Amino acid sequence: MGPAGRSVTANLPASPRREADGRWSAILPNRWALLLVAPLLAVLFGFVVYPLVKLTIDSLTTGNGIGNYEAVFQSAAGRRALITTVLASMLVSALAVTLGGLLAWHIRICRHRAVRAVLWLAVLAPFWMGTVVKNYAIVILLSAEGPLDKLLELLGLAPVSLLYTSTAVAIGMVYTMVPYAAFSLYGVFLGIDESLLDAARGLGASRARAITSVMLPLAMPGIVASGALVFAISLGFYVTPVLLGGAQAPFMASFIQDYIFTFFDYPIASAASVILLAVALLTLGLALALVGRGRLQRAVA
Amino acid sequence: MFARTPPDTTAGVAARRQPRALLGDRFTAAASAAAVAATTFALLAPAVLVAVLSFSNDSFFDFPPHAWGLRQYRTLLEDPRWGSALWLSARIALPVAVLSALVVVPTLFTIHRSRLPWRGVLQVGGLTGIIIPISAYAVAMYGVFAQIGLLGTYWGLVLANLTLAVPVMLLVTSAAMSRIPVELELAAMVAGASRVQAWLAITLRLLAPAILAGGVLAFVTSLDEAVFINFLGGPGQETLPKAILDSVRYGLDPVITAIATLLMVATSLAMGLAAQLARRGAR
Amino acid sequence: MSDSRTAGALGASASREPAMSTEPSGAPETVLDIQALSKSYGETPALEEVSLDVRQGELLTLLGPSGSGKTTLLKVIAGFEAPTSGRVLLRGRDISRLSPARRGVGMVFQHYALFPHMTVAQNVGYGLKLRRVGRAERERRVGEMLELLRLEGLEGRYPRQLSGGQQQRVALGRALAYDPEVILMDEPLGALDRALRIEMEEQIRGLHRDLGATIVYVTHDQREALALSDRIAIMRAGRVASVGAPEQLYTRPADSFVAGFFANANLLPVVEHELLAEGHARVRCGGSEIRCPTTTTSVAGDGVVLAVRRRSLRRAASPGALRIAGVVAEMLLFGDEQEISLQSPVLGRVVAMMDSRDCAGLALGMEVELFAPAGEAVLVPVA
């Protein structure tokens, strides 16, 4: 051992690398940090911040200025679209968080491999289908004398012909957002120690009581974050209203699209968009204040 | 079917103490299992429906099909429209995936290895593109693209899709980066590596699977994009989602079941690959 | 045990390193000279005016409780943290502002920080590769390192395929391979279980002896420090409380903190004391008056305590010994030894560690007398 060790200890040259600056800091200097973040900042400012600011300014300065907003609120179509969109989005986020949450919780606690695989498949399949295909599939499902009507017929119920109604749009939105909520809530539930639930039940709580008094309070911030995100995203749904709601569906996306491409009225479209964005950003801001940045960030599936 | 954990002894003790709780437990368990079963069925049904219908030889929609065969797939191959739509989508998605990596990866070092003020805000700010209402965002992009003449251009679509791909890339790679201990870089630097050498040889090398996974997901995101194309695309620009959307808008063409099925298979494989890569990077 | 080893290591240090022989005999050359180093995070000081020298071929341990600044000091030496003031000289060269790469130190991390995508051989050869050592030479050196560390046959394995002890040895090999001037070790055995830790201590001791490497070793484990160190620097609240050979720190602690933390000694209140010549003092403590060594120069009545190590206490009286009377409050059996807690009305709680055979007949609540030979009690200043 000795001789081998001696030969290894022969002096080697020190590192040949030289840095121009004599002062070295293990923490990345801020100017480097800024340089590295420059591409992302360029994209964010050029294609997120600037467009949103320009949109807001345009909505106030082109056309009739503030009158663009009056026009949106005073037209029956505008009011109906706004109310339907906001209400549908609220309903969708409530349903998505509830059903997605249940699904995620069952994936979390299920011990059968096969059942878990099926549950995961249910969460992933809508992602695999993609936006347009998903809605296409639901169009087929809901169409007159389609599979849903046939199923109802088998059960001895009357056909419902939901296609091209606001209900159909809501179904399509829920279908997209349930897996999204399930995905983000699975992460939340994964962070909760299952033995806490056993402990609560060991102390005599019923299963329902254990869940509502132990699990729900712990998961609540994540649920709030997930709900806020689902709501904000739902406001902007475009493909679903267009395909499932038909030409007359009172949704903001269709309203905006009509004003740009049918009436060539960009000022009113921009005002309507700003209203939609304001609702979304207010909700997200509220969620941010309630649960903090980290949780909101983790809730984005 | 959706068996809960077997009732253990503690549950038994609790139940003896509160007989009514047991009844309540059974009810909640049954109700939630039923809700999950129904949700699972509802989530899977559309995918199964489309896949089954794609093997129908009927010329009209009926479920279950009367005649089986590959008629839809043959029609798909004979119509050049779908191929060119796919080609345009891919031509957009590829640079989107590459650019999203180029934009996001340097940022990771700022977020995870510097003390720049506000660096944490970047984590959420970088996600803006996918959490705001897309149709309103599309109008905002429309205004800017009209101003700088990007409407109806190829690069305009690349840039628009990039704003959606960047958040996806950021989510995947930032999670991976937070799992790489900074000690590995320090160990390399003590051994004689400059900061850049340590980043290239250690951190980026370990990040590579996640970057690849992010690239795959960015590609899929761009391929799936169906809103920007309607607001920002020109008359001659027909991406695959746009082609399907237009076709469905004017009537139900059964050939779409075949495209949809192929897309589903391809996307599931791509996402499976991405998940596998991300997992490998985590080790 | 530790005494004989320490003496051996110190004696051997002159013959260990060829460079040493050119030095004037006696004083080994200082390799690492830490001068008045301070480091604060905002308002919180982590290091305050730390000065320390590390000599050629010695293993110096930084020992202290968590938060005492020992790891911060190591990070400043390695270059991961910049000092607020003060300098670090390596063989006379100021390295305080250099990047870690240009300092020429090696480091073994607490959790090894092995590169997971590199094989054992690639990990060990990494520093050589960065120094542009040719492929053949590199392979030869890596081979030697692996042989030295008993890792032959594992060169193609990846870190995740190795046991904890093997990973530890690879980390050692990576730090040693390019022959750095000084090797820094940050609690390198902290992640190992007890049996493996003792085995690895042997290995580090052997490497240190065979290679003559200069090592700065951080630990919070007093036993580990005793087993490995040529000298120990005891750290407390960002300062070096005391530096010395283990035996010296053990038998002549500089103050009550060193006595309590390092030697685990009882600190007994002193009624009065008088300094005598040659580092001795006359001390009245409890009911007895003894003549014992001291490390204080204070003549004031307060500010001193009598440090009595647990193993110095026994039941047999000896001439001039310190006598402690009390009631047995607690007894803990450690196999051959037994820990007895005595409640003394004058001195408070006193803990003794005695041979189990000596404890025969003792029972809880029993009044007993224990004695400490005068030479084994030390009068120390209160830290």
Side-chain angles (χ1 to χ4, degrees):
Chain A
M1 207 188 228
R6 193 63 37 90
S7 72
V8 171
T9 28
N11 267 321
L12 286 169
S15 165
R17 286 271 145 192
R18 292 207 158 258
E19 278 132 52
D21 194 343
R23 281 157 178 259
W24 193 91
S25 158
I27 303 147
L28 186 63
N30 281 353
R31 59 199 149 82
W32 274 53
L34 215 54
L35 195 71
L36 289 172
V37 86
L40 181 71
L41 286 184
V43 170
L44 285 184
F45 277 97
F47 297 106
V48 179
V49 178
Y50 174 65
L52 297 184
V53 170
K54 179 174 156 43
L55 178 77
T56 313
I57 293 172
D58 283 353
S59 73
L60 291 167
T61 56
T62 60
N64 297 321
I66 195 83
N68 297 330
Y69 288 90
E70 284 168 25
V72 174
F73 284 118
Q74 276 167 6
S75 76
R79 272 205 310 273
R80 233 181 105 216
L82 187 60
I83 292 169
T84 313
T85 304
V86 170
L87 285 181
S89 299
M90 284 164 82
L91 178 74
V92 166
S93 33
L95 279 172
V97 167
T98 311
L99 296 177
L102 273 175
L103 197 53
W105 182 249
H106 276 75
I107 295 176
R108 170 81 171 79
I109 62 169
C110 180
R111 285 188 172 76
H112 297 253
R113 281 183 67 103
V115 177
R116 270 171 69 99
V118 170
L119 296 181
W120 268 123
L121 199 65
V123 172
L124 290 173
F127 284 114
W128 293 342
M129 281 202 277
T131 316
V132 182
V133 169
K134 251 188 303 221
N135 289 290
Y136 167 73
I138 296 174
V139 168
I140 299 173
L141 200 64
L142 298 184
S143 57
E145 291 175 46
L148 180 67
D149 280 356
K150 285 197 170 169
L151 184 71
L152 291 173
E153 205 178 313
L154 272 177
L155 297 171
L157 299 168
V160 279
S161 56
L162 287 172
L163 194 58
Y164 306 130
T165 65
S166 296
T167 312
V169 178
I171 290 174
M173 288 162 80
V174 170
Y175 184 74
T176 301
M177 295 322 283
V178 164
Y180 188 93
F183 223 90
S184 88
L185 289 174
Y186 180 71
V188 173
F189 293 145
L190 216 52
I192 295 176
D193 190 352
E194 227 181 315
S195 60
L196 287 177
L197 227 63
D198 295 338
R201 299 188 64 200
L203 293 171
S206 69
R207 180 197 294 276
R209 183 76 196 274
I211 286 178
T212 50
S213 64
V214 176
M215 196 276 289
L216 271 183
L218 286 173
M220 198 41 87
I223 293 174
V224 168
S226 182
L229 280 169
V230 170
F231 177 76
I233 296 171
S234 296
L235 290 173
F237 266 63
Y238 171 84
V239 175
T240 309
V242 165
L243 287 188
L244 295 172
Q248 303 306 314
F251 279 85
M252 284 302 266
S254 320
F255 180 86
I256 289 167
Q257 149 124 341
D258 284 350
Y259 269 86
I260 292 192
F261 294 108
T262 312
F263 310 134
F264 298 105
D265 194 339
Y266 170 71
I268 291 197
S270 62
S273 304
V274 171
I275 294 168
L276 212 53
L277 277 168
V279 176
L281 291 179
L282 273 176
T283 311
L284 290 173
L286 195 67
L288 196 69
L290 277 174
V291 302
R293 201 175 65 211
R295 283 221 175 70
L296 203 62
Q297 184 188 317
R298 261 171 277 142
V300 184
Chain B
M1 178 184 179
F2 298 95
R4 307 291 294 252
T5 52
D8 54 1
T9 45
T10 48
V13 170
R16 267 197 303 281
R17 228 176 283 150
Q18 291 174 298
R20 267 176 35 218
L22 183 67
L23 207 65
D25 269 8
R26 282 203 176 139
F27 179 75
T28 20
S32 82
V36 169
T39 309
T40 307
F41 177 76
L43 288 175
L44 287 172
V48 174
L49 179 72
V50 167
V52 169
L53 283 177
S54 77
F55 295 102
S56 157
N57 263 18
D58 304 344
S59 53
F60 52 92
F61 272 110
D62 204 1
F63 187 87
H66 299 275
W68 300 88
L70 294 175
R71 175 181 166 159
Q72 313 306 342
Y73 291 91
R74 272 197 301 274
T75 319
L76 177 62
L77 288 178
E78 283 158 11
D79 191 345
R81 181 185 168 198
W82 302 109
S84 68
L86 177 64
W87 175 232
L88 177 62
S89 284
R91 270 200 305 141
I92 294 170
L94 195 65
V96 164
V98 173
L99 284 173
S100 68
L102 291 178
V103 166
V104 167
V105 172
T107 309
L108 298 175
F109 290 96
T110 299
I111 293 174
H112 294 274
R113 298 287 187 261
S114 83
R115 292 188 192 164
L116 191 72
W118 298 93
R119 66 188 183 281
V121 175
L122 285 170
Q123 292 254 51
V124 169
L127 304 179
T128 320
I130 54 168
I131 61 179
I132 56 178
I134 179 98
S135 44
Y137 184 29
V139 176
M141 291 292 258
Y142 176 85
V144 173
F145 278 22
Q147 184 185 29
I148 56 179
L150 278 175
L151 279 182
T153 63
Y154 167 76
W155 284 106
L157 291 177
V158 169
L159 284 172
N161 287 3
L162 183 63
T163 63
L164 303 180
V166 158
V168 173
M169 177 64 87
L170 188 64
L171 278 171
V172 177
T173 52
S174 192
M177 182 78 168
S178 64
R179 286 192 297 262
I180 299 177
V182 69
E183 277 77 20
L184 294 183
E185 278 168 34
L186 296 178
M189 288 195 262
V190 165
S194 68
R195 201 193 310 263
V196 174
Q197 279 177 315
W199 283 358
L200 291 176
I202 311 294
T203 317
L204 275 183
R205 170 61 189 72
L206 293 173
L207 212 50
I211 297 174
L212 218 55
V216 170
L217 292 180
F219 186 91
V220 169
T221 303
S222 173
L223 207 66
D224 185 46
E225 206 296 309
V227 184
F228 281 157
I229 182 69
N230 275 289
F231 283 82
L232 310 174
Q237 290 179 308
E238 195 172 53
T239 60
L240 196 55
K242 169 102 167 124
I244 302 175
L245 188 70
D246 286 348
S247 163
V248 179
R249 227 192 292 211
Y250 304 119
L252 288 180
D253 186 346
V255 75
I256 292 187
T257 56
I259 305 168
T261 307
L262 292 178
L263 266 181
M264 257 192 299
V265 172
T267 313
S268 66
L269 288 179
M271 285 178 127
L273 172 76
Q276 208 61 39
L277 284 169
R279 204 168 306 148
R280 240 191 63 198
R283 274 212 317 239
Chain C
M1 165 198 78
S2 66
D3 298 356
S4 66
R5 195 205 63 78
T6 306
L10 285 173
S13 67
S15 62
R16 209 186 281 158
E17 180 64 29
M20 281 285 310
S21 53
T22 60
E23 285 291 305
S25 63
E29 189 193 346
T30 294
V31 175
L32 192 65
D33 190 2
I34 296 158
Q35 298 180 343
L37 214 56
S38 293
K39 168 77 189 171
S40 53
Y41 299 101
E43 293 290 291
T44 334
L47 291 177
E48 285 185 88
E49 297 278 323
V50 170
S51 293
L52 203 60
D53 66 313
V54 183
R55 297 165 200 161
Q56 176 70 53
E58 81 170 336
L59 194 154
L60 177 105
T61 294
L62 303 176
L63 175 69
S66 63
S68 60
K70 53 192 193 306
T71 295
T72 306
L73 179 55
L74 208 66
K75 283 180 175 170
V76 172
I77 299 171
F80 304 154
E81 301 274 1
T84 312
S85 64
R87 299 196 304 170
V88 179
L89 304 183
L90 185 62
R91 291 219 185 270
R93 181 172 64 114
D94 184 355
I95 58 167
S96 332
R97 300 270 173 215
L98 297 182
S99 73
R102 294 176 58 199
R103 295 190 176 207
V105 304
M107 181 146 180
V108 179
F109 290 80
Q110 190 169 6
H111 299 287
Y112 321 137
L114 295 178
F115 307 130
H117 59 297
M118 294 187 190
T119 62
V120 167
Q122 286 168 335
N123 264 285
V124 172
Y126 186 67
L128 298 170
K129 200 173 164 189
L130 287 168
R131 283 167 179 73
R132 291 161 207 269
V133 173
R135 186 190 169 88
E137 173 70 359
R138 203 164 73 219
E139 277 173 8
R140 192 183 63 76
R141 275 173 210 241
V142 168
E144 279 176 0
M145 277 329 296
L146 295 181
E147 191 189 341
L148 194 65
L149 292 158
R150 290 184 275 127
L151 287 165
E152 305 99 320
L154 299 178
E155 39 274 89
R157 297 268 190 96
Y158 286 90
R160 63 171 177 277
Q161 300 169 312
L162 302 178
S163 71
Q166 288 168 335
Q167 292 189 23
Q168 223 286 334
R169 297 208 290 272
V170 176
L172 272 171
R174 185 177 63 184
L176 287 165
Y178 52 93
D179 191 37
E181 296 277 7
V182 60
I183 294 167
L184 311 174
M185 299 193 183
D186 184 10
E187 309 220 13
L189 307 183
L192 300 177
D193 64 45
R194 193 180 150 80
L196 201 52
R197 218 157 55 208
I198 289 167
E199 191 190 316
M200 287 308 302
E201 277 169 19
E202 296 269 353
Q203 175 121 27
I204 291 175
R205 210 154 51 206
L207 279 174
H208 175 226
R209 190 176 51 233
D210 295 336
L211 300 179
T214 308
I215 298 174
V216 180
Y217 190 100
V218 161
T219 184
H220 63 267
D221 183 343
Q222 178 247 101
R223 197 197 54 79
E224 199 173 293
L226 275 173
L228 288 173
S229 315
D230 295 321
R231 284 195 305 152
I232 298 173
I234 293 180
M235 297 205 57
R236 182 200 187 197
R239 292 172 182 276
V240 174
S242 186
V243 196
E247 193 192 296
Q248 182 195 344
L249 292 174
Y250 212 62
T251 56
R252 295 284 184 278
D255 59 32
S256 61
F257 173 76
V258 177
F261 174 75
F262 185 65
N264 218 347
N266 295 290
L267 303 171
L268 308 178
V270 168
V271 181
E272 60 178 8
H273 75 282
E274 181 193 347
L275 294 183
L276 307 171
E278 290 163 8
H280 277 70
R282 195 193 316 283
V283 179
R284 201 139 72 81
C285 173
S288 43
E289 187 172 299
I290 60 164
R291 187 174 180 279
C292 69
T294 180
T295 57
T296 187
T297 51
S298 164
V299 289
D302 52 356
V304 291
V305 288
L306 191 65
V308 181
R309 294 196 306 279
R310 296 176 175 200
R311 283 191 178 75
S312 298
L313 291 163
R314 59 207 60 167
R315 291 179 78 182
S318 53
L322 175 73
R323 178 183 153 276
I324 296 168
V327 174
V328 177
E330 212 174 312
M331 297 174 70
L332 281 172
L333 182 66
F334 293 102
D336 290 343
E337 287 191 313
Q338 204 157 341
E339 193 186 274
I340 310 288
S341 288
L342 218 60
Q343 189 64 40
S344 154
V346 195
L347 301 172
R349 172 75 55 126
V350 178
V351 182
M353 187 71 91
M354 297 191 294
D355 195 305
S356 287
R357 281 166 300 186
D358 251 11
C359 298
L362 282 184
L364 284 181
M366 184 187 273
E367 284 200 26
V368 288
E369 282 185 345
L370 295 180
F371 299 90
E376 293 190 22
V378 190
L379 184 70
V380 295
V382 173

